[in-house]
Amino acid sequence: MVTNDNKHLSYLLGLALDRFQIEIALCGSSVLDAVSRPESGKVDIWLARLTERTPEVWRTLAPGRDDPSQPSRPVPLAVVCDGGETQVADALSHGVSAVILPDDSAFDTAAGVHAAASRELFISPRLLRRLDDRLTDALASRMPRTDTLTDREERVLALMADGLSNADIGRSLHISPATVSTHVGNILRKLEARNRTEAVTTGMEWSLIARPVRRP
């Protein structure tokens, strides 16, 4: 284990990780300190506390990342960080096996260490929930209000995609051109489209209407 955070060290020791078949073989205040100790050869998984981007961690504890024989296999390294986007992205880009938050539960911490032992990816559930909330908010803010289109408006949109004019759509649906014009206006407003082409494109992107079949 590599950490110079006494508070976090005390927290880890208090978790009694031995009940999860995890033994802390050594503890160093820096990477150099940890790897220089004789018992470092007995370490199966490194657990490193990151307080900032630390290149020496990647060079020393995660060597061979660029080995072409294992281009995408995670390295047996679990990192504990504060969950900042830069830290997490930096860790994942170097192929670490586990990203853990400082005050994760004993169960999540143990799960991260065991993932590192198996070279499987683990990300703190609390961090995932945080990212999931942000992703949901981002998607919700960008998604058109597709659920507000009526069946008739979806039919009009499909005919718009076929290139029909308002008059042609009216004849196809047996309604007046004025009624078609009203439907088209509602479609543009609900899909937040500036014109018919943009409305059709949005409708295809969100599977409201099928994409046209390309003919040879």
Side-chain angles (χ1 to χ4, degrees):
M1 179 166 56
V2 180
T3 180
N4 58 6
D5 184 340
N6 291 331
K7 180 180 179 181
H8 183 245
L9 175 59
S10 298
Y11 176 74
L12 283 176
L13 295 176
L15 295 180
L17 293 175
D18 57 314
R19 57 182 162 154
F20 300 102
Q21 290 76 54
I22 298 172
E23 177 185 357
I24 300 178
L26 68 88
C27 182
S29 59
S30 67
V31 173
L32 181 60
D33 176 31
V35 300
S36 64
R37 299 193 182 189
E39 60 267 38
S40 63
K42 300 178 182 180
V43 171
D44 297 312
I45 306 103
W46 288 103
L47 177 65
R49 172 72 167 105
L50 301 183
T51 54
E52 57 186 16
R53 299 179 68 181
T54 315
E56 69 169 333
V57 171
W58 314 133
R59 289 194 299 267
T60 307
L61 301 183
R65 174 59 179 165
D66 299 324
D67 183 352
S69 66
Q70 297 180 345
S72 59
R73 191 181 186 194
V75 297
L77 170 62
V79 298
V80 180
C81 67
D82 296 324
E85 291 184 13
T86 300
Q87 284 184 325
V88 174
D90 201 31
L92 294 178
S93 69
H94 284 84
V96 305
S97 291
V99 178
I100 304 168
L101 296 182
D103 53 353
D104 270 342
S105 69
F107 298 98
D108 288 337
T109 301
V113 172
H114 280 286
S118 301
R119 296 198 178 197
E120 297 175 348
L121 181 62
F122 173 91
I123 298 179
S124 166
R126 291 170 54 228
L127 181 57
L128 285 177
R129 284 193 294 272
R130 186 191 309 168
L131 295 176
D132 180 63
D133 290 342
R134 292 179 57 186
L135 181 60
T136 300
D137 291 342
L139 288 176
S141 67
R142 293 174 180 271
M143 288 177 63
R145 297 187 293 274
T146 55
D147 59 335
T148 61
L149 290 186
T150 66
D151 291 341
R152 176 53 62 90
E153 287 166 352
E154 288 188 10
R155 180 60 180 150
V156 169
L157 182 61
L159 294 174
M160 287 166 56
D162 289 336
L164 273 63
S165 67
N166 285 3
D168 292 333
I169 294 174
R171 282 191 289 271
S172 177
L173 298 179
H174 307 291
I175 57 179
S176 70
T179 301
V180 174
S181 180
T182 298
H183 287 317
V184 171
N186 290 337
I187 291 169
L188 296 180
R189 175 178 55 80
K190 291 178 179 180
L191 297 187
E192 299 179 353
R194 291 170 293 184
N195 51 53
R196 295 166 71 103
T197 300
E198 191 172 298
V200 169
T201 299
T202 300
M204 291 179 181
E205 289 177 350
W206 295 97
S207 301
L208 288 176
I209 53 176
R211 293 182 180 275
V213 178
R214 292 182 179 275
R215 294 181 174 83

